[in-house]
């Protein structure tokens, strides 16, 4: 096992242990961070021609998008939840297209979109943590409604 692989395994173990103690808001942050990380790994693998690593990273990134989709509450989230679902589906489609065509700019696009949503999600951290989950859903990220996707 290489030094880099050992460090990655240590990071993943710490990250999975952190998830056990994270609040729901932090879990979504971790999913978003994981998506960005896996997509960056796929792009790096694409650029160095490592097909197996690219496939693995894309598969993990798609799995994370599905986790984000599963976390949406359409009853409480209404239009915002629908918009996020549309964006996650768009990201998956664009990621898979970039993967199949070896177009790193497609991966850059989906990472940019996720960073925008994550910035909004990070911005409501204090409010989301202060409110008990059963009494009030977190407010929508300020910029979540302004994110546009084309496709």
């Amino acid at each position: 096992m290489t030094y880099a692989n050992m460090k990655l395994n240590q990071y993943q173990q710490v990250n999975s242990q952190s998830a056990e103690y994270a609040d729901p808001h932090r879990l979504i942050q971790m999913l978003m961070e994981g998506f960005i990380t896996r997509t960056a790994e796929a792009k790096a693998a694409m650029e160095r021609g490592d097909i197996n690593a690219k496939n693995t990273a894309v598969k993990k990134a798609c799995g994370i998008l599905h986790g984000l989709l599963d976390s949406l509450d359409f009853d409480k989230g209404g239009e915002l939840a629908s918009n996020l679902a549309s964006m996650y589906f768009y990201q998956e489609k664009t990621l898979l297209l970039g993967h199949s065509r070896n177009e790193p700019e497609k991966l850059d696009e989906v990472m940019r979109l996720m960073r925008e949503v994550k910035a909004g999600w990070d911005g409501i951290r204090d409010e989301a943590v202060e409110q008990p989950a059963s009494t009030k859903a977190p407010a929508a990220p300020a910029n979540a409604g302004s994110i546009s996707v084309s496709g």
Side-chain angles (χ1 to χ4, degrees):
M1 179 178 281
T2 67
Y3 178 76
N5 285 341
M6 287 181 359
K7 288 297 177 189
L8 178 61
N9 285 341
Q10 289 173 349
Y11 167 77
Q12 289 171 337
Q13 287 174 355
V14 168
N15 213 17
S16 67
Q17 291 168 354
S18 298
E20 292 178 34
Y21 303 105
D23 60 82
H25 188 273
R26 178 66 186 128
L27 288 173
I28 299 301
Q29 284 179 311
M30 292 170 72
L31 285 170
M32 292 176 179
E33 290 164 3
F35 175 80
I36 293 165
T37 300
R38 298 303 164 256
T39 304
E41 289 172 358
K43 181 182 175 190
M46 182 184 294
E47 290 172 342
R48 68 177 182 271
D50 187 341
I51 295 169
N52 289 333
K54 179 180 75 160
N55 290 342
T56 299
V58 167
K59 181 179 178 182
K60 288 180 180 180
C62 286
I64 291 169
L65 284 174
H66 288 261
L68 287 165
L69 278 164
D70 289 345
S71 74
L72 295 175
D73 184 336
F74 291 94
D75 292 331
K76 290 181 184 175
E79 186 179 349
L80 176 60
S82 294
N83 290 342
L84 286 170
S86 294
M87 188 198 64
Y88 295 149
F89 284 123
Y90 172 80
Q91 285 180 296
E92 182 177 39
K93 178 180 131 188
T94 303
L95 176 64
L96 292 172
L97 187 64
H99 168 59
S100 66
R101 294 182 180 174
N102 280 320
E103 295 177 352
E105 62 275 2
K106 299 281 189 200
L107 280 60
D108 288 334
E109 179 183 353
V110 297
M111 285 188 288
R112 178 189 56 78
L113 285 170
M114 188 61 76
R115 284 186 190 107
E116 288 181 30
V117 173
K118 186 178 177 310
W121 190 251
D122 291 348
I124 64 165
R125 172 88 185 135
D126 292 338
E127 180 183 338
V129 172
E130 288 174 11
Q131 300 293 330
S134 61
T135 61
K136 181 179 174 187
N143 66 346
S146 65
I147 295 172
S148 62
V149 294
S150 56

